[in-house]
Amino acid sequence: MRATTVRVLPLLAALALGAAGCGGAPGGGTTATLTATLTPAATTPEPDSTVTPGPGEVPTSGTPAPAPRTSGASAPARLLIAGRYQPLWPFSGPDEVAAWQRAYQKNGHQPWHLDPAATAIGFSRDYLGFTEIDQAVKTVVDGEHARVHVGLRAEEGPKPMVAAVVHLMRYGSGEHAPWEVVGTDDTTLSLTKPAYGASVTSPLTVGGRITGVDESIRIQVLHPGSDQPLGERCCVSAGGRKSPWSGKLSFTPRDGRTLTVVASTGGHVAEVERFAVTGVTLPL
C-alpha cells in the first residue's frame, strides 16, 4: 500500500481506452443517475452490503463544509473548489486544470479526466495504492458533483464489494471542466478527525467510528508529489457497532498541496475492503 505517482501513467492510459464516456460537458442542474463499470461484467450489480449502514445508522459525509477560515488556515482560497472543497487528486490547483484543458482542446490529451469513474479508480488504485480496487460499481452524477462507488470482486460472492464512495467535483470552468476527487462519503468506516480542511501539524491524531469485527485500521498521510507516504501507522485495532477508533502518527510536512489522510481496513476477504479519506492543509 504505497502512494506513488510512478504507476499513474500506465493505468491512466488503460483507463482512457477502457472507461465508458460519462459525458465531456459539466453536468447541469438536473439530477442524473449513471452506472459505470470498468470491467467486462455484463451487468452492474448494486453495492455490497458491507458498506450499507445498519438499521438506524445514518451515514456521515466525509466532505462536510469546513468551519469558517481563520488566520491559521493555509490553503489559499483560489485553490478550493466552490470555495469549500479540498482538491485531493489529480490536480493541485486551477493553473494545472487550465494547462490540461489547453492540451485536451489541442490534441485530446488524457480524456479520462472527463470521466468520474475513471478518475475515482485512478485515485484508489494509483494514488492510494489499493491495487485490488478496480471497479466502478455505481456512478451517480448530480450537477457539479459525482459519487463513484469503487470496489472489487471478492471470490466469496457474486457481487462486487464496495470499498468507498468517492466524492468528485468539476474543477475549473468552461465546457471541459475535469473531475477532481475531494473526499469520500463515510458509511461504516468514518474518518472525522482531523476535521475536513483543518490545518494540521505532526504528530497527528486520526480517528472516527467503525462497524465491524476484528478490524485493523491502517492510517497514512499522503502527498501527490511523493512516492511514499509522508507518515504511516499500522495498525489500530478496532471493532463493534459504530465504535470509536483513534490513532496517532508522525509525518514529515511537505508544503505545496493539500495532504490526504487515509484510513483503511481489510484482511477478511481482501487486503483493503473499506477506506475513507479527508483533505487537510499545513499552517503557513
Side-chain angles (χ1 to χ4, degrees):
M1 296 173 59
R2 292 291 185 267
T4 174
T5 56
V6 174
R7 297 180 291 110
V8 173
L9 293 179
L11 170 70
L12 298 184
L15 288 173
L17 294 174
C22 295
T30 302
T31 300
T33 300
L34 308 175
T35 46
T37 178
L38 302 188
T39 64
T43 60
T44 303
E46 292 298 317
D48 186 84
S49 60
T50 54
V51 296
T52 301
E57 182 175 355
V58 179
T60 58
S61 172
T63 51
R69 301 185 60 80
T70 66
S71 59
S74 61
R78 64 180 295 272
L79 300 183
L80 298 177
I81 303 174
R84 58 167 51 174
Y85 294 99
Q86 301 290 330
L88 302 186
W89 191 89
F91 300 103
S92 63
D95 293 341
E96 289 186 9
V97 171
W100 171 78
Q101 287 178 312
R102 290 191 295 269
Y104 176 76
Q105 292 169 358
K106 181 178 180 180
N107 55 24
H109 181 64
Q110 295 181 333
W112 60 270
H113 286 301
L114 299 176
D115 185 340
T119 303
I121 292 178
F123 173 76
S124 306
R125 291 190 59 176
D126 288 272
Y127 180 43
L128 301 185
F130 302 153
T131 57
E132 293 178 294
I133 297 175
D134 60 359
Q135 298 190 37
V137 181
K138 180 179 179 181
T139 300
V140 179
V141 177
D142 183 4
E144 301 298 298
H145 297 260
R147 262 88 177 179
V148 180
H149 300 236
V150 296
L152 65 155
R153 186 170 295 279
E155 296 180 359
E156 287 73 8
K159 295 182 179 180
M161 294 178 58
V162 173
V165 179
V166 179
H167 182 190
L168 306 94
M169 287 193 68
R170 294 281 194 181
Y171 198 5
S173 60
E175 181 182 2
H176 300 110
W179 291 101
E180 176 85 3
V181 174
V182 297
T184 53
D185 287 353
D186 300 336
T187 54
T188 56
L189 170 63
S190 70
L191 200 170
T192 56
K193 189 175 183 178
Y196 185 78
S199 177
V200 303
T201 57
S202 179
L204 175 66
T205 298
V206 181
R209 292 185 177 271
I210 189 168
T211 295
V213 178
D214 191 25
E215 303 297 334
S216 183
I217 302 174
R218 179 189 300 268
I219 51 180
Q220 298 173 302
V221 177
L222 307 181
H223 183 279
S226 302
D227 291 339
Q228 300 294 328
L230 302 185
E232 181 172 8
R233 176 177 175 182
C234 186
C235 292
V236 178
S237 298
R241 178 172 174 76
K242 295 190 290 185
S243 298
W245 66 270
S246 179
K248 182 177 290 186
L249 78 161
S250 297
F251 67 93
T252 303
R254 182 166 179 178
D255 295 333
R257 294 182 65 163
T258 301
L259 304 181
T260 303
V261 180
V262 190
S264 61
T265 185
H268 301 94
V269 297
E271 182 180 0
V272 175
E273 296 159 1
R274 287 179 287 171
F275 72 86
V277 307
T278 193
V280 297
T281 61
L282 296 172
L284 288 173

